[in-house]
Amino acid sequence: MEPHTLPTFQIGDQDFLLDGQPHRILSGALHYFRVHPEQWADRIHKARLMGLNTIETYVAWNAHAPSQGEWNITGGLDLGRFLDLVAAEGMHAIVRPGPYICAEWDNGGLPAWLFRDEQVGVRRLEPLYVAAVTDYLQRVYEIIAPRQIEDGGPVILVQIENEYGAYGADKQYLSELVRVTREAGITVPLTTVDQPVDQMLIDGSIPGVHKTASFGSRATERLATLRKHQPTGPLMCMEFWNGWFDDWGTHHHTTDPELTARDLDAILSVGGSVNFYMFHGGTNFGLTNGANDKGRYAAITTSYDYDAPLDEAGNPTEKYFAFRDVIARYAPIPDEVPSAPRRVGGFSTPLSHRSNLLPLASSLGVASRHDALPTFDDLAHDRGIAIFTTTLHGNGPGVLSFDEVRDRAWIFLDGAPVGVLARDAHEQAIVLPRSTGELVIIVEDQGRVNYGPRIGEHKGLIGGGRLDNELIIGWAAIPLDLDRVPAIEVDHDDLAVGPVIARGTFELIRPCDLFLDTRDWGKGFAWINGFALGRYWRRGPQRTLYVPEPVLRSGQNELVILELEVLTQQEAVFAATPLLGHEDF
């Protein structure tokens, strides 16, 4: 009897080789950290039903290591379990651990704590940065190494960095990442990815690592550019942008299924491999969304639906079936198709208890005193909200100013609202009706920049606070732990003017996916049964928050919101379908 041989995966002269035979990768991006872990298997199964043979995921460093020295791989961060589910479905896996991932994710996946030391470099061969990255990658590779294909696991490719040619050209840094990767026991082929622009492909690659490209259209032209820089081996679009992300204040982005399917066909018709970015986008639950700043700050929405083949709630779209039809021309697909979703919605519940946030602040964080106004990072506060208080002793009206507001500040004087300073409007100063009394400032970090030169920047009110150009001395600061909000006792019936914590309950016969309608609220955060759904904002385009079935229960469920502005409707409404764009209502 012949001994059982484990499979092999290699890069050949023209093709990927699975057990020595030409193999086309048909992959879909599915970020485990954007999907409830009880729904991972469902999403993976639906990828196979579309005709895919591989699942690709980033690894979000700051999710696994929210504080220095911490390493969390439990629950929704159990990467090993996720990869095991991919294998159980009979599929392969591509892992892209960064350390930088972009992904419209907070800080591009880089931990905020890493940049509190101003000596730390960003994405370059700087010793402090490289030491932290090495520790991170070694931890990730402890999970990946035993799950490589030659060890009987699903992993066939590992990516080095991420679109590095759009940021830098430090070849020594890339080589060091390769060295760390190989020394940690990663033996599968390594790849880089860059946009198919000559200079980016030159700057973002190193010899011995296979180049791939990222694009969403003009496939023939862009594959030709890739081939010029990768003259041998398989052509692969590692990010086929079949949709796009949304930011607050713009429209919901969609792409035409028929046109996108043609671009897919153009890739496959020349023998190319593909990874759909995204196959299933999921949700930026909690405070995990990133932001862009290319002259105007734009925070990413909670929904990461991405107009992907599988929508935010895991349901197949028209695009899913259009792609399935194209794939069927090139590879076998299962006969099974996903079943239709069960829709429940169209009910409401009163927000029967409301309490003003400010008197509760001491229950959500520990106050500290400072001569100069601290930033979030001075407070070792990575995300969310902080409250700053001082006493003014001036005369008459005054001008309150800061060097920069990151990202939104609500100003109160003796408990009365004065106004808002917003980063996306480049606002830095506001007129106070008088320059005496208690000044309270609530500051929200709306998401750290995930792309470009502002990665790693500090948050909060930058440069101190000034009254009529004189530095204000003497501040109290409370960084809020928003995870505590659902447990706060709310037994008052205060006005629905923010900042206010409100609570309501609703009954379900049995759990199912829901969509919380936020159209009649202002700006804030929502939790159901203690699970952080994410941010909402009246400016849209997103008007519902996705509520995954696993966070709900039969019988009574509890909703808690933290409203920073105003509740024009003091009830919670659940819609039957998502409302992600202005065209939805």
Side-chain angles (χ1 to χ4, degrees), residues 247-269:
D247 54 74
W248 295 109
T250 59
H251 65 285
H252 174 48
H253 293 79
T254 60
T255 56
D256 182 84
E258 183 179 344
L259 292 178
T260 315
R262 287 182 197 168
D263 288 315
L264 171 62
D265 189 70
I267 296 171
L268 300 185
S269 67

Side-chain angles (χ1 to χ4, degrees), residues 44 122 185 233 281 403 410 439-440 445 516 582:
I44 294 166
V122 181
D403 287 354
W410 289 263
L439 178 71
V440 175
D445 155 34
L516 176 61
H582 298 287

Side-chain angles (χ1 to χ4, degrees), residues 7-255:
T8 61
F9 192 83
Q10 300 167 311
I11 292 177
D13 291 339
Q14 294 296 320
D15 302 288
F16 292 112
L17 301 176
L18 178 62
D19 295 333
Q21 298 301 310
H23 176 76
R24 186 201 302 268
I25 296 174
L26 298 167
S27 177
L30 173 59
H31 301 155
Y32 60 97
F33 45 86
R34 279 183 160 129
V35 179
H36 194 285
E38 291 183 33
Q39 296 175 322
W40 288 345
D42 172 77
R43 305 323 193 231
I44 294 166
H45 180 63
K46 287 171 179 172
R48 186 175 64 81
L49 298 188
M50 198 178 84
L52 304 186
N53 56 31
T54 305
I55 295 291
E56 176 272 315
T57 187
Y58 281 130
V59 180
W61 182 1
N62 56 3
H64 291 280
S67 60
Q68 192 166 9
E70 184 178 358
W71 184 247
N72 183 1
I73 52 173
T74 64
L77 296 173
D78 191 344
L79 173 59
R81 176 175 172 264
F82 178 78
L83 294 174
D84 292 343
L85 288 171
V86 172
E89 192 64 40
M91 301 179 74
H92 294 143
I94 299 170
V95 184
R96 303 200 288 164
Y100 165 77
I101 63 172
C102 185
E104 292 72 58
W105 185 259
D106 187 57
N107 220 32
L110 299 174
W113 53 260
L114 183 60
F115 303 108
R116 291 189 189 127
D117 183 344
E118 294 184 358
Q119 302 303 311
V120 173
V122 181
R123 302 179 73 189
R124 59 185 172 87
L125 194 70
E126 183 281 312
L128 295 173
Y129 177 75
V130 169
V133 168
T134 299
D135 178 72
Y136 158 67
L137 288 177
Q138 287 173 343
R139 292 177 182 268
V140 174
Y141 292 147
E142 285 177 2
I143 300 168
I144 296 174
R147 292 176 170 87
Q148 296 178 97
I149 188 168
E150 292 185 1
D151 294 309
V155 178
I156 56 173
L157 293 175
V158 169
Q159 183 176 290
I160 299 298
E161 247 281 352
N162 190 52
E163 289 193 333
Y164 186 67
Y167 181 85
D170 189 337
K171 304 290 189 176
Q172 290 181 305
Y173 165 60
L174 295 178
S175 296
E176 179 64 10
L177 296 184
V178 171
R179 186 193 67 78
V180 170
T181 300
R182 290 303 191 202
E183 287 194 0
I186 301 302
T187 58
V188 296
L190 305 180
T191 62
T192 55
V193 63
D194 284 287
Q195 297 173 45
V197 175
D198 288 334
Q199 196 62 50
M200 290 185 185
L201 284 163
I202 292 169
D203 290 346
S205 62
I206 55 174
V209 178
H210 192 72
K211 302 176 189 67
T212 69
S214 55
F215 56 84
S217 61
R218 292 159 43 201
T220 302
E221 168 192 339
R222 285 162 170 167
L223 287 175
T225 302
L226 175 62
R227 179 53 85 198
K228 183 168 65 173
H229 293 268
Q230 182 62 60
T232 64
L235 290 171
M236 182 166 186
C237 180
M238 185 61 80
E239 290 189 15
F240 174 50
W241 301 329
N242 51 269
W244 205 245
F245 57 88
D246 292 341
D247 54 74
W248 295 109
T250 59
H251 65 285
H252 174 48
H253 293 79
T254 60
T255 56

Side-chain angles (χ1 to χ4, degrees), residues 271-307:
S273 289
V274 68
N275 176 51
F276 292 92
Y277 193 96
M278 300 289 297
F279 165 70
H280 171 53
T283 308
N284 294 314
F285 293 119
L287 306 174
T288 57
N289 66 277
N292 285 294
D293 193 336
K294 301 174 182 178
R296 183 187 75 86
Y297 176 81
I300 307 301
T301 57
T302 299
S303 172
Y304 200 64
D305 175 86
Y306 213 86
D307 193 34

Side-chain angles (χ1 to χ4, degrees), residues 293 297 404-407 422-426 454 457 459:
D293 193 336
Y297 176 81
E404 191 175 352
V405 175
R406 300 178 188 162
D407 303 306
R423 175 177 180 173
D424 55 11
H426 301 284
R454 300 196 74 148
E457 68 177 8
K459 283 290 193 173

